[in-house]
């Protein structure tokens, strides 16, 4: 029998050997993982793969991405440049930013790349959506939906949107305690989309219940494609089926209505447009289209609305400038706004190269992207790094993108500013979204003042969209008529 001291040394030696062996196996596994992706390059091309790291076996850099948020992308862009490789959510990914690279991606659909969504999104949204369509079906569906967001349609929507926003701001001012702005903005966005865009007849209780169901649907839209009890996908399917059951009655009623009547909402316009093309959409197709419209309007608009309220609070000079502009146009407390003609050029599309295996992107040195890899373009990084803008990205300058890339040379000029994407996948609802934000800003500065209900400004989270960690708890106060008039004279 070994003395106690020698036994301890023996145990420590065995543990050290085990740890060393585990370390060597882990190092070997990581080396083989990196080699596996290196060998996927097209050997017929002299172009290299982009710089970057594929992370750990199977997990890739997913954990780093989840923990670091937006800092993950900016740190790797600083290290590797505007084109780099990584491995996220089980897939090899090329991340790109910069106007020229973004232009190549956005104008390359149907030729170099095709749109790709996770399998769970395809299952939950259905097979009759614009998001999932490619090629000619995508062109046809986009043509139909374009009528929903035409200038004539938006002119009909704007007065009702303004009324909804005005009532919402008044309710915030009448609240006896703090308002969680992000949650309120999500509820408001859903009500406007359901009642005004889709024309659903919902009372307050029905609307709130349907909004909760829809939020559960959205929360599980990007989940593991495993339809098993208690899984995210199963929860999403249950929520989707509840939405479809409610929509089915509303759609059946619309299909029975007078075909010659003037369309009053998006569903009416979609039904009429397809009939004019000699087609007839099924109830299932209309249900999936309705849910897709709700999804497209929901989180991004709520996120942008919340950021608007927060930034105006942080920058009172911007509020004063809005009031000056309103005063210059003679707009008092009670006014109706119409849609002005204007044009402007973190939604991320994941794109997969279907044909070419090499030389897809151009950067200071050329890179190849192997067939089957995903390509993610970064709107935020492109906006932050574009040298054509004269104000620093970390500051708040509402006019920063006013002359979006006008001084930039070449064909990539309009791709320095792409908040709504571009090319075949540009957002059809961009003018509607901008109208909502403009109307919200006007209603806020004309009728209210607001302040933090917490000791400090909240931290911001970036998944699934940018939003305050605490929901942005604020106290709203109505402006007295005289105070509003005085404010308009600033």
């Amino acid at each position: 029998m070994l003395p106690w001291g020698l036994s301890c040394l023996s145990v420590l030696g065995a543990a050290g050997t085990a740890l060393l062996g585990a370390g060597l196996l882990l190092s070997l596994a990581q080396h083989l993982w990196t080699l596996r992706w290196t060998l996927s390059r097209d050997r017929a091309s002299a172009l290299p793969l982009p710089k970057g790291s594929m992370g750990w076996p199977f997990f890739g850099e997913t954990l780093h991405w989840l923990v670091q948020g937006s800092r993950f992308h900016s740190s790797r862009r600083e290290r590797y440049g505007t084109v780099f490789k990584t491995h996220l959510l089980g897939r090899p990914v090329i991340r790109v930013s910069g106007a020229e690279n973004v232009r190549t991606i956005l104008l390359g659909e149907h030729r170099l790349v095709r749109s790709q969504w996770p399998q769970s999104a395809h299952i939950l949204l259905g097979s009759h959506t614009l998001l999932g369509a490619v090629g000619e079906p995508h062109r046809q569906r986009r043509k139909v939906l374009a009528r929903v967001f035409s200038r004539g349609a938006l002119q009909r929507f704007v007065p009702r949107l303004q009324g909804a926003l005005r009532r919402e701001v008044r309710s915030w001012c009448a609240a006896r305690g703090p308002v969680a702005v992000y949650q309120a903005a999500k509820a408001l966005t859903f009500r406007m989309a359901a009642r005004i865009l889709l024309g659903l007849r919902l009372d307050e209780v029905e609307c709130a219940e349907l909004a909760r169901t829809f939020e559960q649907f959205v929360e599980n839209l990007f989940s593991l494609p495993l339809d098993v009890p208690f899984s995210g996908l199963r929860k999403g399917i249950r929520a989707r089926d509840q939405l479809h059951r409610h929509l089915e009655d509303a759609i059946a009623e619309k299909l029975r209505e007078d075909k010659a009547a003037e369309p009053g909402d998006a569903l009416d316009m979609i039904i009429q447009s397809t009939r004019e093309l000699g087609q007839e959409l099924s109830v299932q197709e209309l249900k999936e289209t309705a849910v897709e419209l709700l999804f497209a309007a929901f989180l991004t608009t709520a996120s942008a609305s919340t950021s608007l309220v927060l930034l105006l609070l942080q920058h009172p000079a911007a509020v004063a400038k809005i009031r000056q502009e309103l005063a210059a146009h003679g707009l008092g407390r009670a006014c109706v706004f119409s849609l002005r003609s204007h044009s402007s050029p973190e939604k991320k599309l994941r794109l997969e190269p279907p044909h070419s295996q090499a030389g897809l992107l151009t950067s200071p040195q050329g890179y190849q992207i192997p067939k089957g890899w995903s390509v993610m373009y970064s709107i935020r990084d492109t906006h932050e790094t574009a040298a054509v803008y004269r104000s620093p990205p970390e500051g708040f300058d509402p006019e920063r993108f006013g002359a979006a890339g006008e001084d930039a040379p070449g064909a990539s000029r309009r791709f320095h500013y792409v908040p709504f994407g571009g090319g075949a996948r540009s957002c059809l609802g961009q003018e509607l979204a901008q109208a909502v934000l403009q109307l919200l800003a006007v209603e806020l500065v004309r009728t209210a003042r607001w302040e933090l209900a917490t000791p400090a400004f909240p931290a911001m989270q970036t998944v699934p969209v940018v939003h305050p960690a605490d929901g942005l708890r604020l106290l709203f106060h109505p402006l007295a008529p005289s105070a509003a008039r005085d404010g308009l004279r600033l």
Side-chain angles (χ1 to χ4, degrees), residues 314-483:
Q314 292 174 324
H315 301 276
V319 175
K321 188 163 185 178
I322 295 174
R323 287 176 175 158
Q324 285 178 335
E325 292 182 8
L326 291 174
H329 289 85
L331 299 176
R333 284 174 60 81
C335 55
V336 176
F337 294 85
S338 60
L339 202 64
R340 272 191 322 184
S341 176
H342 61 83
S343 61
S344 68
E346 171 151 29
K347 163 179 156 183
K348 305 181 183 77
L349 286 179
R350 194 167 63 179
L351 302 169
E352 180 180 342
H355 303 302
S356 174
Q357 283 194 285
L360 176 61
L361 298 178
T362 301
S363 58
Q365 75 192 84
Y367 294 115
Q368 64 164 278
I369 298 180
K371 183 178 180 180
W373 286 39
S374 294
V375 182
M376 295 179 70
Y377 72 92
S378 172
I379 292 175
R380 176 174 179 170
D381 287 357
T382 299
H383 290 176
E384 287 186 350
T385 58
V388 297
Y389 302 119
R390 297 178 177 85
S391 58
E394 62 272 9
F396 177 63
D397 178 9
E399 299 178 353
R400 181 171 191 255
F401 303 110
E406 290 180 0
D407 298 333
S412 64
R413 182 180 296 114
R414 64 189 176 94
F415 291 92
H416 287 286
Y417 183 61
V418 284
F420 298 101
R425 297 282 170 175
S426 62
C427 177
L428 285 169
Q430 58 182 285
E431 287 202 42
L432 178 62
Q434 290 178 96
V436 168
L437 294 174
Q438 290 169 351
L439 290 169
L440 175 59
V442 169
E443 291 301 324
L444 279 168
V445 302
R446 286 194 311 115
T447 62
R449 64 180 178 86
W450 56 103
E451 60 184 321
L452 276 178
T454 53
F457 288 108
M460 301 298 287
Q461 296 179 345
T462 58
V463 177
V465 292
V466 175
H467 66 280
D470 69 349
L472 187 59
R473 296 172 59 80
L474 300 179
L475 294 168
F476 288 84
H477 311 282
L479 288 179
S482 60

Side-chain angles (χ1 to χ4, degrees), residues 47 59 62 130 203 214 282-283 314 336 381 439 477:
L47 294 174
F59 294 102
T62 301
L130 185 67
D203 59 32
F214 182 74
S282 67
V283 172
Q314 292 174 324
V336 176
D381 287 357
L439 290 169
H477 311 282

Side-chain angles (χ1 to χ4, degrees), residues 117-322:
W117 286 77
Q119 187 178 351
S120 59
H122 282 290
I123 294 171
L124 294 176
L125 288 170
S127 58
H128 305 101
T129 60
L130 185 67
L131 292 175
V134 294
E136 188 58 28
H138 176 262
R139 294 187 185 95
Q140 290 297 322
R141 287 175 189 155
R142 187 176 175 88
K143 183 178 180 180
V144 169
L145 285 173
R147 184 174 177 183
V148 174
F149 301 103
S150 66
R151 182 154 298 275
L154 295 182
Q155 289 284 14
R156 289 198 293 270
F157 293 148
V158 162
R160 297 181 64 192
L161 291 170
Q162 185 180 5
L165 289 163
R166 182 171 293 166
R167 290 189 295 273
E168 185 70 14
V169 173
R170 285 176 180 170
S171 74
W172 294 353
C173 292
R176 296 187 176 182
V179 174
V181 175
Y182 183 53
Q183 285 75 11
K186 286 191 290 186
L188 170 65
T189 301
F190 181 84
R191 283 200 304 275
M192 291 192 297
R195 289 174 171 171
I196 299 174
L197 195 59
L198 298 183
L200 302 182
R201 298 182 179 95
L202 301 168
D203 59 32
E204 289 300 320
V205 174
E206 289 175 323
C207 195
E209 183 179 348
L210 203 62
R212 286 192 292 270
T213 300
F214 182 74
E215 189 155 6
Q216 186 177 49
F217 169 81
V218 172
E219 286 174 354
N220 295 287
L221 194 60
F222 304 106
S223 56
L224 292 175
L226 299 175
D227 185 11
V228 296
F230 309 109
S231 68
L233 182 61
R234 178 68 61 85
K235 294 175 183 176
I237 291 173
R238 187 163 55 245
R240 179 203 61 193
D241 291 345
Q242 291 176 18
L243 290 170
H244 282 192
R245 281 194 294 271
H246 189 96
L247 288 167
E248 191 163 347
D249 294 336
I251 290 169
E253 183 178 345
K254 287 183 178 294
L255 291 173
R256 290 192 298 266
E257 292 174 353
D258 183 6
K259 296 182 180 180
E262 182 72 15
D265 54 61
L267 282 180
D268 290 336
M269 293 177 198
I270 291 168
I271 292 169
Q272 188 180 86
S273 295
T274 52
R275 284 172 175 168
E276 289 174 356
L277 293 172
Q279 303 170 11
E280 192 79 27
L281 291 179
S282 67
V283 172
Q284 182 65 26
E285 288 175 308
L286 287 168
K287 287 190 294 187
E288 292 179 8
T289 299
V291 171
E292 181 181 31
L293 286 173
L294 289 171
F295 168 62
F298 186 57
L299 281 183
T300 51
T301 306
S303 170
S305 300
T306 305
S307 294
L308 172 67
V309 176
L310 174 61
L311 289 167
L312 289 178
L313 175 60
Q314 292 174 324
H315 301 276
V319 175
K321 188 163 185 178
I322 295 174

